[in-house]
Each structure stands twice: as C-alpha cells, then as structure tokens.
Amino acid sequence: ASLAEVSWKAGETATALRFADEAVAVYEQSGAGDDPDRFAQGLELRGLLQASTGRVREGRADLEKALSERSRILGRTHPLVARTRVSIAKVNFADGLVDAALAAALEAEQDGRAHLLFTARYLPERVALAYASRRPRGLDLALSIAATGGAPEVLAVFDSAIRSRSVILDELASRARSAATDDPTV
C-alpha cells in the first residue's frame, strides 16, 4: 500500500494500481494484522486510483466498501470515515453526480466538525487549532460545488461553512466564560 502511494505521487499510476491491487489481495487473504483499518485504507487508495484512471464505477465500489468497513470498525463519526466520504464525494463530483457529491461532502463535514468539537474540548488552544486545520474536510468540496452553480442546497453549504468556522471560536469563548469568576479557588 505504501509503495502504491509513493508510485502514485511519482506519477506512475499503472504501477501504483498494481501495488494497490496486491495490497488489497493480501489484506483480503490474511487480514490486516494489528491494524484493522489497513484493508479499508487499501480499498480507498485503490478506489481513488481506479477513479483517476477512468474506472469510476470500480473506484466508487471500492470506496463504498472502504466506507462500510471503516464505519463498522471505527464508528460512523470517526475522522477516517469522514475522509472516505470526502473521497467518495470527489469521485461523484468528477463523474457529474453533483447531488450525491454535495450530500457526501456535507455529511463528511458534519462528522468531521462533530469530532473536532469533541476533541477540541480537551486540547490546548494551539493543538486544537492545529487539529482543526488538518481534519478531514468536506466543506472545501461543498463550496467548490456551490461556486460552480451546481449546488441546489446553497444555503446548506453556507450554514455548514458558518458552523465549521465557529467551532474553535465557540470552544475558546466557552473556556473564557468558565474561567471568568471571582472565586479564588478557581
């Protein structure tokens, strides 16, 4: 799987696809060892590679299987599940399935935002901001879809943008309110 990623980044798509096929076959036969997400990771990589080479239907099928596997193992709101949803949304958008792409992108954004909110509550401010900048994001794709004029749900996109931008600010404001007290023990 790692060789597939490196080959793809080097522009060797055919080699990358061969390595991804081998990785998925190994994971199917022997399991993923101590990391139960490896099979889903291999499926997602292969799905993206297939879609990039014009085999969109096969790629989408692998991505859907990766989503199902990750949801089963990690839970529906895990960041890796959101990342896979973003991958599916990108493939759908590239294939002209605008409504499906927008729905997947907004769902990924909602799940990523929920995880960020949960995580930011216990992280120091700097770490929370760093995590917010690196989390899986469906909003970027949703905004791109809205910018093309293809999004019938423009209000949902803007609502998601407002909610996503305010997560860290709301958490910091909440901390400031709870720390503002005259009680000397606090």
Side-chain angles (χ1 to χ4, degrees), residues 10-158:
E12 300 172 10
T13 309
T15 303
L17 194 51
R18 184 173 48 83
F19 284 137
D21 285 338
E22 289 176 18
V24 169
V26 167
Y27 294 145
E28 281 178 327
Q29 289 176 354
S30 64
D34 59 349
D35 184 356
D37 185 54
R38 286 188 189 222
F39 178 56
Q41 185 180 10
L43 284 169
E44 182 174 12
L45 177 62
R46 185 172 75 177
L48 289 170
L49 279 161
Q50 289 169 331
S52 74
T53 60
R55 295 165 45 196
V56 176
R57 188 170 291 144
E58 293 172 24
R60 189 179 296 115
D62 274 350
L63 289 169
E64 292 289 346
K65 192 172 179 182
L67 178 65
S68 174
E69 189 71 13
R70 279 189 163 155
S71 295
R72 183 183 65 79
I73 294 169
L74 304 171
R76 191 185 161 290
T77 60
H78 193 278
L80 292 174
V81 174
R83 189 180 85 185
T84 304
R85 276 198 178 91
V86 171
S87 295
I88 290 169
K90 287 177 181 178
V91 169
N92 284 341
F93 186 52
D95 198 30
L97 303 173
V98 176
D99 291 341
L102 183 62
L106 289 175
E107 188 173 3
E109 181 63 25
Q110 181 180 352
D111 291 346
R113 186 173 57 243
H115 193 268
L116 172 62
L117 181 61
F118 174 76
T119 305
R121 288 184 177 143
Y122 64 85
L123 293 176
E125 180 180 339
R126 181 177 292 178
V127 178
L129 288 170
Y131 177 71
S133 70
R134 291 185 190 97
R135 72 174 177 89
R137 319 178 64 68
L139 182 61
D140 300 338
L141 180 61
L143 287 168
S144 295
I145 294 169
T148 65
E153 302 289 331
V154 174
L155 292 178
V157 174
F158 288 134

